[in-house]
């Protein structure tokens, strides 16, 4: 309709006689040959009372051309531009409200008729809008064709992935079995290696204890008769058990298990463990115990033998192949989910909004950088740096819900909700209004209510189909 109005040829207007301030559509109510009936039907007055600067009708319809009725309306013809109704109170108030100046006919103010200039500018603006609409719709048709082709390719790719998934699942399961079979001899060999090393450690420790016990026995056996007596044991007061600093005969006999003396073998088996932490050698100031810690090489398990290492290498290779196949399966499943989600999205009646799916657009203001990623999220971050604030994730991020536009134009608005919470306020949300444009760009953003943002996104996908252009040299019609 807009384009048709623009392209209508210039036509001749026929002047219809009517009282001042009356529109052409209402002139038949004002017949000077008979009394005037108020438009609300409540009163009838002589016609010469119309526009007599006195308000006779309650609805003010008898004074369309004067300021007598505060509730009346004055019609500006505005030839060359758009006709307009203004309040009767503005008639002859010294302000030019009608572009043709007809509202100031008796105020002493001279109003220049600027309707033709305003009409020219209006037509230029409308022509520009029509051009944007035509070009935007041309691009929209291209977007539709691109999505149609891309959707077919994605569906084909999805079918290929779904077909290949079963084969890859079988491969993963086969490699799992191979891995588990390879890990069995690996585990057995490693366990055996560990066991041998622990046995060696235990034997080495027992040998050291045996040597320590033998050295202590030899030192305690003062008379070298091959036995440690109560008196010989009592020479080591550090072995005192009751804390009085003296090892009594009774305490010594208790340590010897009730015997009065003990040979070397029995000393090692029955006494050494009880006294080893207290015993101090007489020959060297440092205590004989605790023993010196083993060197790092003694605590470190020796390298695996060649056969065990071969089992380990074989198992590791099987693990690597299994993990690689498992990663490939996960990647394939992720690709399938993404393709299924994208294909199922409602990208408009003909998929014209699909190209926005993988894009993001930014708008920089004096304070913030706003980022819109359609069908995903909206964010805001300080211009001078800082972490972004989530202004809302779309209602249709995980599962598609619906667009937020009115029923007759539902693809005109997107709604993003559940963003970062405001301080002592609601979660942020963003309404994105889609407007027709030749380019895709965020044109404005504002916060009309606390924590509720409004964005405008220009896109060819929002351009409606323009009406057909009339023939360039067609016959003109009378208005």
């Amino acid at each position: 309709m807009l384009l048709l109005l623009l392209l209508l040829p210039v036509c001749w207007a026929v002047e219809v006689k009517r009282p001042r301030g009356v529109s052409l559509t209402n002139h038949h109510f004002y017949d000077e040959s008979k009394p005037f009936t108020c438009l609300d039907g409540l009163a009838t007055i002589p016609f010469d009372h119309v526009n007599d600067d006195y308000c006779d009708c309650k609805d003010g319809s008898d004074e369309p051309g004067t300021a007598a009725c505060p509730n009346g309306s004055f019609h500006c013809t505005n030839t060359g531009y758009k006709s307009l109704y203004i309040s009767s109170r503005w008639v002859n108030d010294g302000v030019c409200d009608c572009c043709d100046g007809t509202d100031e006919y008796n105020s002493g103010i001279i109003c220049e008729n600027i309707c033709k200039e305003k009409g020219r500018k209006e037509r230029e603006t409308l022509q520009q809008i029509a051009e944007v609409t035509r070009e935007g719709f041309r691009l929209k048709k291209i977007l539709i064709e691109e999505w149609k082709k891309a959707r077919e390719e994605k569906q084909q790719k999805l079918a290929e992935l779904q077909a290949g998934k079963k084969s890859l699942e079988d491969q993963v399961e086969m490699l799992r079995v191979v891995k588990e079979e390879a890990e069995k001899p690996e585990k057995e060999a490693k366990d055996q290696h560990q066991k041998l090393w622990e046995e060696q450690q235990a034997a080495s420790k027992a040998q050291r204890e045996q040597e320590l016990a033998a050295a202590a026995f030899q030192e305690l056996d003062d008379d070298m008769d091959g036995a440690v007596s109560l008196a010989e044991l009592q020479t080591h007061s550090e072995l005192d058990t009751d804390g009085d600093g003296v090892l009594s005969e009774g305490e010594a006999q208790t340590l010897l298990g009730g015997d009065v003396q003990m040979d070397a073998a029995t000393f090692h088996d029955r006494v050494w463990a009880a006294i080893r932490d207290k015993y101090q050698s007489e020959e060297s100031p440092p205590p004989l115990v605790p023993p010196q810690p083993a060197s790092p090489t003694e605590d470190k398990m020796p390298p695996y033998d060649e056969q065990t290492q071969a089992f380990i290498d074989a198992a590791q290779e099987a693990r690597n192949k299994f993990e690689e196949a498992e990663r490939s399966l996960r990647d394939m499943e992720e690709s399938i989910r993404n393709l299924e989600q994208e294909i199922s999205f409602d990208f408009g009646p003909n998929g014209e909004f699909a190209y926005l799916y993988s894009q993001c657009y930014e708008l920089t203001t004096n304070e913030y950088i706003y980022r819109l990623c359609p069908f995903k999220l909206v964010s805001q971050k300080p211009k001078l740096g800082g972490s972004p604030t989530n202004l809302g994730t779309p209602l249709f991020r995980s599962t598609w819900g619906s667009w937020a536009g009115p029923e007759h134009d539902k693809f005109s608005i997107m709604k993003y909700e559940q963003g970062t919470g405001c301080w002592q306020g609601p979660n942020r949300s963003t309404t994105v209004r889609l407007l027709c444009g030749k380019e895709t760009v965020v044109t404005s953003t504002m916060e009309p209510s606390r924590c509720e943002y409004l964005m405008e996104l220009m896109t060819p996908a929002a351009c409606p189909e323009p009406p057909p252009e009339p023939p360039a040299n067609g016959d003109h019609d009378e208005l």
Side-chain angles (χ1 to χ4, degrees), residues 335-350:
S335 297
I336 289 174
R337 282 193 298 271
N338 291 339
L339 283 171
E340 288 176 337
Q341 183 185 48
E342 186 172 355
I343 291 172
S344 67
F345 262 83
D346 185 357
F347 289 127
N350 298 292

PDB file of all heavy atoms in Angstrom, residues 335-350:
ATOM      1  N   SER A 335      27.896 -33.492  16.982  1.00  0.00           N
ATOM      2  CA  SER A 335      27.540 -32.958  15.663  1.00  0.00           C
ATOM      3  C   SER A 335      26.108 -33.317  15.300  1.00  0.00           C
ATOM      4  O   SER A 335      25.375 -32.496  14.741  1.00  0.00           O
ATOM      5  CB  SER A 335      28.509 -33.499  14.604  1.00  0.00           C
ATOM      6  OG  SER A 335      29.837 -33.074  14.853  1.00  0.00           O
ATOM      7  N   ILE A 336      25.705 -34.538  15.618  1.00  0.00           N
ATOM      8  CA  ILE A 336      24.327 -34.968  15.334  1.00  0.00           C
ATOM      9  C   ILE A 336      23.337 -34.129  16.133  1.00  0.00           C
ATOM     10  O   ILE A 336      22.322 -33.651  15.597  1.00  0.00           O
ATOM     11  CB  ILE A 336      24.159 -36.467  15.649  1.00  0.00           C
ATOM     12  CG1 ILE A 336      24.908 -37.312  14.618  1.00  0.00           C
ATOM     13  CG2 ILE A 336      22.681 -36.854  15.682  1.00  0.00           C
ATOM     14  CD1 ILE A 336      24.925 -38.792  14.915  1.00  0.00           C
ATOM     15  N   ARG A 337      23.626 -33.903  17.424  1.00  0.00           N
ATOM     16  CA  ARG A 337      22.731 -33.084  18.253  1.00  0.00           C
ATOM     17  C   ARG A 337      22.641 -31.656  17.705  1.00  0.00           C
ATOM     18  O   ARG A 337      21.541 -31.079  17.632  1.00  0.00           O
ATOM     19  CB  ARG A 337      23.225 -33.055  19.698  1.00  0.00           C
ATOM     20  CG  ARG A 337      22.902 -34.316  20.485  1.00  0.00           C
ATOM     21  CD  ARG A 337      23.122 -34.108  21.964  1.00  0.00           C
ATOM     22  NE  ARG A 337      24.509 -33.797  22.280  1.00  0.00           N
ATOM     23  CZ  ARG A 337      25.446 -34.712  22.535  1.00  0.00           C
ATOM     24  NH1 ARG A 337      25.122 -36.000  22.514  1.00  0.00           N
ATOM     25  NH2 ARG A 337      26.683 -34.351  22.837  1.00  0.00           N
ATOM     26  N   ASN A 338      23.780 -31.093  17.333  1.00  0.00           N
ATOM     27  CA  ASN A 338      23.772 -29.720  16.815  1.00  0.00           C
ATOM     28  C   ASN A 338      22.996 -29.617  15.511  1.00  0.00           C
ATOM     29  O   ASN A 338      22.230 -28.662  15.306  1.00  0.00           O
ATOM     30  CB  ASN A 338      25.208 -29.230  16.612  1.00  0.00           C
ATOM     31  CG  ASN A 338      25.940 -29.014  17.920  1.00  0.00           C
ATOM     32  OD1 ASN A 338      25.322 -28.854  18.971  1.00  0.00           O
ATOM     33  ND2 ASN A 338      27.263 -29.017  17.878  1.00  0.00           N
ATOM     34  N   LEU A 339      23.195 -30.585  14.625  1.00  0.00           N
ATOM     35  CA  LEU A 339      22.470 -30.564  13.353  1.00  0.00           C
ATOM     36  C   LEU A 339      20.979 -30.758  13.572  1.00  0.00           C
ATOM     37  O   LEU A 339      20.158 -30.062  12.951  1.00  0.00           O
ATOM     38  CB  LEU A 339      23.012 -31.661  12.427  1.00  0.00           C
ATOM     39  CG  LEU A 339      24.346 -31.357  11.737  1.00  0.00           C
ATOM     40  CD1 LEU A 339      24.874 -32.593  11.031  1.00  0.00           C
ATOM     41  CD2 LEU A 339      24.186 -30.216  10.747  1.00  0.00           C
ATOM     42  N   GLU A 340      20.608 -31.687  14.442  1.00  0.00           N
ATOM     43  CA  GLU A 340      19.182 -31.907  14.722  1.00  0.00           C
ATOM     44  C   GLU A 340      18.551 -30.651  15.302  1.00  0.00           C
ATOM     45  O   GLU A 340      17.422 -30.293  14.948  1.00  0.00           O
ATOM     46  CB  GLU A 340      19.015 -33.083  15.687  1.00  0.00           C
ATOM     47  CG  GLU A 340      19.298 -34.433  15.060  1.00  0.00           C
ATOM     48  CD  GLU A 340      19.228 -35.576  16.051  1.00  0.00           C
ATOM     49  OE1 GLU A 340      19.387 -35.316  17.268  1.00  0.00           O
ATOM     50  OE2 GLU A 340      19.032 -36.729  15.626  1.00  0.00           O
ATOM     51  N   GLN A 341      19.282 -29.976  16.200  1.00  0.00           N
ATOM     52  CA  GLN A 341      18.745 -28.762  16.806  1.00  0.00           C
ATOM     53  C   GLN A 341      18.597 -27.662  15.766  1.00  0.00           C
ATOM     54  O   GLN A 341      17.550 -26.995  15.697  1.00  0.00           O
ATOM     55  CB  GLN A 341      19.664 -28.288  17.928  1.00  0.00           C
ATOM     56  CG  GLN A 341      19.142 -27.059  18.678  1.00  0.00           C
ATOM     57  CD  GLN A 341      20.126 -26.550  19.706  1.00  0.00           C
ATOM     58  OE1 GLN A 341      21.307 -26.381  19.415  1.00  0.00           O
ATOM     59  NE2 GLN A 341      19.667 -26.312  20.916  1.00  0.00           N
ATOM     60  N   GLU A 342      19.618 -27.479  14.928  1.00  0.00           N
ATOM     61  CA  GLU A 342      19.563 -26.404  13.942  1.00  0.00           C
ATOM     62  C   GLU A 342      18.472 -26.653  12.910  1.00  0.00           C
ATOM     63  O   GLU A 342      17.731 -25.740  12.530  1.00  0.00           O
ATOM     64  CB  GLU A 342      20.922 -26.267  13.253  1.00  0.00           C
ATOM     65  CG  GLU A 342      21.001 -25.072  12.322  1.00  0.00           C
ATOM     66  CD  GLU A 342      22.407 -24.843  11.787  1.00  0.00           C
ATOM     67  OE1 GLU A 342      23.336 -25.555  12.213  1.00  0.00           O
ATOM     68  OE2 GLU A 342      22.565 -23.946  10.938  1.00  0.00           O
ATOM     69  N   ILE A 343      18.355 -27.888  12.450  1.00  0.00           N
ATOM     70  CA  ILE A 343      17.340 -28.215  11.448  1.00  0.00           C
ATOM     71  C   ILE A 343      15.938 -28.026  11.994  1.00  0.00           C
ATOM     72  O   ILE A 343      15.012 -27.638  11.282  1.00  0.00           O
ATOM     73  CB  ILE A 343      17.553 -29.658  10.937  1.00  0.00           C
ATOM     74  CG1 ILE A 343      18.843 -29.733  10.103  1.00  0.00           C
ATOM     75  CG2 ILE A 343      16.364 -30.130  10.106  1.00  0.00           C
ATOM     76  CD1 ILE A 343      19.245 -31.144   9.722  1.00  0.00           C
ATOM     77  N   SER A 344      15.763 -28.272  13.308  1.00  0.00           N
ATOM     78  CA  SER A 344      14.429 -28.197  13.912  1.00  0.00           C
ATOM     79  C   SER A 344      14.039 -26.785  14.333  1.00  0.00           C
ATOM     80  O   SER A 344      12.885 -26.552  14.690  1.00  0.00           O
ATOM     81  CB  SER A 344      14.358 -29.131  15.126  1.00  0.00           C
ATOM     82  OG  SER A 344      15.211 -28.671  16.169  1.00  0.00           O
ATOM     83  N   PHE A 345      14.983 -25.824  14.292  1.00  0.00           N
ATOM     84  CA  PHE A 345      14.664 -24.467  14.710  1.00  0.00           C
ATOM     85  C   PHE A 345      13.623 -23.845  13.784  1.00  0.00           C
ATOM     86  O   PHE A 345      13.584 -24.124  12.583  1.00  0.00           O
ATOM     87  CB  PHE A 345      15.927 -23.596  14.700  1.00  0.00           C
ATOM     88  CG  PHE A 345      16.566 -23.437  16.040  1.00  0.00           C
ATOM     89  CD1 PHE A 345      17.410 -24.397  16.525  1.00  0.00           C
ATOM     90  CD2 PHE A 345      16.307 -22.330  16.821  1.00  0.00           C
ATOM     91  CE1 PHE A 345      18.019 -24.262  17.759  1.00  0.00           C
ATOM     92  CE2 PHE A 345      16.902 -22.181  18.058  1.00  0.00           C
ATOM     93  CZ  PHE A 345      17.760 -23.154  18.536  1.00  0.00           C
ATOM     94  N   ASP A 346      12.803 -22.988  14.354  1.00  0.00           N
ATOM     95  CA  ASP A 346      11.837 -22.225  13.573  1.00  0.00           C
ATOM     96  C   ASP A 346      12.515 -20.927  13.142  1.00  0.00           C
ATOM     97  O   ASP A 346      12.566 -19.956  13.886  1.00  0.00           O
ATOM     98  CB  ASP A 346      10.590 -21.921  14.419  1.00  0.00           C
ATOM     99  CG  ASP A 346       9.508 -21.233  13.606  1.00  0.00           C
ATOM    100  OD1 ASP A 346       9.766 -20.947  12.420  1.00  0.00           O
ATOM    101  OD2 ASP A 346       8.419 -20.986  14.150  1.00  0.00           O
ATOM    102  N   PHE A 347      13.043 -20.939  11.925  1.00  0.00           N
ATOM    103  CA  PHE A 347      13.766 -19.784  11.406  1.00  0.00           C
ATOM    104  C   PHE A 347      12.886 -18.887  10.539  1.00  0.00           C
ATOM    105  O   PHE A 347      13.389 -18.172   9.683  1.00  0.00           O
ATOM    106  CB  PHE A 347      14.972 -20.239  10.594  1.00  0.00           C
ATOM    107  CG  PHE A 347      16.083 -20.827  11.420  1.00  0.00           C
ATOM    108  CD1 PHE A 347      16.607 -22.074  11.126  1.00  0.00           C
ATOM    109  CD2 PHE A 347      16.611 -20.133  12.497  1.00  0.00           C
ATOM    110  CE1 PHE A 347      17.645 -22.611  11.872  1.00  0.00           C
ATOM    111  CE2 PHE A 347      17.646 -20.661  13.247  1.00  0.00           C
ATOM    112  CZ  PHE A 347      18.161 -21.906  12.945  1.00  0.00           C
ATOM    113  N   GLY A 348      11.591 -18.904  10.785  1.00  0.00           N
ATOM    114  CA  GLY A 348      10.693 -18.087   9.993  1.00  0.00           C
ATOM    115  C   GLY A 348       9.904 -18.931   9.015  1.00  0.00           C
ATOM    116  O   GLY A 348      10.185 -20.125   8.822  1.00  0.00           O
ATOM    117  N   PRO A 349       8.916 -18.329   8.357  1.00  0.00           N
ATOM    118  CA  PRO A 349       8.055 -19.095   7.448  1.00  0.00           C
ATOM    119  C   PRO A 349       8.821 -19.855   6.380  1.00  0.00           C
ATOM    120  O   PRO A 349       8.443 -20.957   6.008  1.00  0.00           O
ATOM    121  CB  PRO A 349       7.164 -18.007   6.827  1.00  0.00           C
ATOM    122  CG  PRO A 349       7.171 -16.891   7.818  1.00  0.00           C
ATOM    123  CD  PRO A 349       8.519 -16.916   8.457  1.00  0.00           C
ATOM    124  N   ASN A 350       9.914 -19.256   5.893  1.00  0.00           N
ATOM    125  CA  ASN A 350      10.696 -19.901   4.836  1.00  0.00           C
ATOM    126  C   ASN A 350      12.174 -20.031   5.195  1.00  0.00           C
ATOM    127  O   ASN A 350      13.020 -20.172   4.324  1.00  0.00           O
ATOM    128  CB  ASN A 350      10.554 -19.108   3.532  1.00  0.00           C
ATOM    129  CG  ASN A 350       9.128 -19.061   3.033  1.00  0.00           C
ATOM    130  OD1 ASN A 350       8.572 -20.067   2.621  1.00  0.00           O
ATOM    131  ND2 ASN A 350       8.513 -17.888   3.088  1.00  0.00           N
TER     132      ASN A 350
END
